[in-house]
Structure formats: structure tokens, C-alpha cells
Amino acid sequence: MSRSIASEVLVSGRGGAGDALVLSAPISFWGGVDPRTGRIADVRHPEHRLSIAGTVLCLPGTIGSSSASAVLLELVSNGHAPAALVLHEADAILLLGLVVAREMGLATPVAVRLDADSQRAFRGCRLCVGTDGMIDVENQTSHARNAPTAPTAISRASPRS
């Protein structure tokens, strides 16, 4: 079963389809995402080690860095960019990476805005984001079946005696 949801196009680009990767916490691209692999590199992030490459990346928020645009540009250039980006709020610095990539002649994914509550409903779904901002939602994906469960508590080292 599928349904469609309208979103606002923030940066035009090619439409894309992929499993939804709905981040459970905001992320900083600078230091938080490895542009060589597309994996989430921030060890404190709940989705640490998951790859954003080829996913429809749903961002509840971003943690600012003026270098976020450079990381997104590298992801596009290296072929590890998401198929589409769904942001809760427009992040001009991050989205600048898409604009620069497009000006360099690279194929860039579309970036759209949709509230974080709506994004959470995408967990376990496959999404297709059109160039017009329409998001087609299909239920349950293999990505969701293989996604890690909630992070476990981090054990603390015993204090020195």
C-alpha cells in the first residue's frame, strides 16, 4: 500500500528513491558524516555507522557548521549522497553544498522540507521523492528489517581504586 505526501522543494535536483533513513537526532555533517563512505561517523549519534548513501535521508535537524556544505558537496562528488534529503527546517549552509554541486555540473538530489513528526512515520518505508516535492511512501523495506535496534546503554569504566 502506498500514499503520497506533499512537501516544499528547498533545492531542486533530480528526484530519488530509496529506503527512508529517519535520523532520531540532529546531526552535524562536519565530523558527523564521512564524505568518503557516506557513513555516519559521529560515535555519539544514535545511527552511528549507518550509511546515508542512496537513502532518502530524513533530518529532524542539523547541528551547524560552516563546513556542512563542503561535506555534502563531497558526498555528491564521491557518489555517496542520499537519493533525496527531507529536512525539518531549511539549513542554508548545508543546502549550499547542493547548489554548488549543481553549479559544478554534478547530478544533485532534490531537498525538500517536511516537519519532523511526519518524517518519523517514514521509518521502515521506502520513499520516492519527486522533483515537484511529492513524496510517495511504500511500507516496510528490507533496510528497516535490518536496521539496528535502539542503542544500548554505554557502560562506564570502573573508577580507579
Side-chain angles (χ1 to χ4, degrees):
M1 178 160 205
S2 64
R3 57 190 151 89
S4 297
I5 298 173
S7 65
E8 175 189 0
V9 175
L10 297 170
V11 175
S12 62
R14 71 181 195 286
D19 294 345
L21 177 54
V22 181
L23 299 185
S24 58
I27 192 165
S28 170
F29 274 67
W30 180 249
V33 178
D34 184 342
R36 297 169 298 167
T37 64
R39 293 203 178 274
I40 296 174
D42 182 349
V43 297
R44 298 166 296 174
H45 197 277
E47 283 78 36
H48 174 235
R49 295 189 180 153
L50 292 182
S51 176
I52 67 170
T55 67
V56 174
L57 182 62
C58 298
L59 298 156
T62 55
I63 300 171
S65 169
S66 58
S67 299
S69 56
V71 174
L72 186 53
L73 172 61
E74 284 187 70
L75 287 164
V76 171
S77 178
N78 294 337
H80 297 297
L85 292 100
V86 181
L87 290 89
H88 173 71
E89 296 178 341
D91 179 332
I93 293 173
L94 176 66
L95 296 175
L96 179 61
L98 293 179
V99 173
V100 172
R102 189 176 59 210
E103 290 300 313
M104 293 174 63
L106 300 171
T108 58
V110 65
V112 300
R113 179 189 345 225
L114 188 69
D115 66 273
D117 289 338
S118 297
Q119 292 179 27
R120 282 190 281 277
F122 294 158
R123 283 197 174 95
C125 296
R126 181 167 175 81
L127 305 176
C128 180
V129 183
T131 57
D132 60 356
M134 287 303 296
I135 303 173
D136 294 326
V137 183
E138 297 176 17
N139 291 333
Q140 192 63 33
T141 65
S142 61
H143 177 79
R145 288 188 294 272
N146 297 326
T149 56
T152 56
I154 298 172
S155 61
R156 295 178 185 252
S158 301
R160 293 182 178 180
S161 53

